[in-house]
Amino acid sequence: MYQVILFLHIFSAILSIGPFFVLVPMIPTMRAADHRGLLAYLSLFKLTVRLVKHAGHVLVTTGVLLIWKSAWSWSTSWVVMTIAVMISSVFFLARAFSPVICKFHAQKISQDQLISKLHRSVWIYIGLLMIMLWFMVAKPVLW
């Protein structure tokens, strides 16, 4: 059973990170897109964020089960740091994409501002998830 949970945990980690790497090469094409094309790209962004959120639910659930089933303690440094980075990434995800897209639809920001913010947010989110991934894989002893 542990191996199945571990597989689901790793698969959900891939689903939490992978889709954002697909968005990176799409961003330059968004700059040249007309309004209709930009709306199609934005719907892809929304779909990606939704997929990542649901994958995150599986990631957290399987992570809890893995800690529960293993010899690791909740006070182990890499577990604590992973949880800290995860919480910050959840708050970042909630504020980085959907509110920015809503501001664009409400015509409060321009297309260039929207694309710049989305580009920056994608890289920050990838960075946060890479830090979290490093904690889970390297399992560093920090204290």
Side-chain angles (χ1 to χ4, degrees):
M1 187 63 165
Y2 184 85
Q3 291 174 338
V4 171
I5 296 169
L6 181 61
F7 173 80
L8 290 173
H9 188 69
I10 293 168
F11 184 67
S12 62
I14 292 167
L15 285 178
S16 293
I17 298 170
F20 282 100
F21 283 105
V22 173
L23 296 179
V24 170
M26 188 179 79
I27 290 173
T29 60
M30 290 174 67
R31 294 192 190 281
D34 61 358
H35 186 71
R36 189 174 181 186
L38 183 63
L39 293 178
Y41 286 125
L42 292 178
S43 67
L44 186 59
F45 257 92
K46 286 182 181 180
L47 179 66
T48 300
V49 170
R50 190 174 302 132
L51 172 66
V52 166
K53 284 180 184 178
H54 292 305
H57 295 138
V58 175
L59 187 65
V60 169
T61 303
T62 55
V64 168
L65 291 172
L66 287 171
I67 295 296
W68 178 57
K69 290 264 196 198
S70 71
W72 295 105
S73 166
W74 286 101
S75 60
T76 305
S77 61
W78 71 267
V79 174
V80 171
M81 293 305 296
T82 300
I83 292 170
V85 175
M86 180 195 62
I87 290 170
S88 65
S89 71
V90 166
F91 281 108
F92 183 79
L93 184 64
R95 298 189 49 88
F97 298 103
S98 297
V100 173
I101 293 170
C102 288
K103 283 182 185 177
F104 174 74
H105 287 306
Q107 298 177 348
K108 293 183 180 177
I109 61 173
S110 69
Q111 181 172 339
D112 285 336
Q113 288 175 314
L114 167 77
I115 294 167
S116 295
K117 286 182 182 229
L118 291 176
H119 185 251
R120 182 174 173 263
S121 295
V122 164
W123 282 112
I124 290 170
Y125 190 71
I126 287 172
L128 285 169
L129 291 180
M130 287 296 150
I131 292 168
M132 190 168 40
L133 185 62
W134 179 77
F135 282 123
M136 288 188 285
V137 173
K139 296 177 178 33
V141 177
L142 303 174
W143 59 79

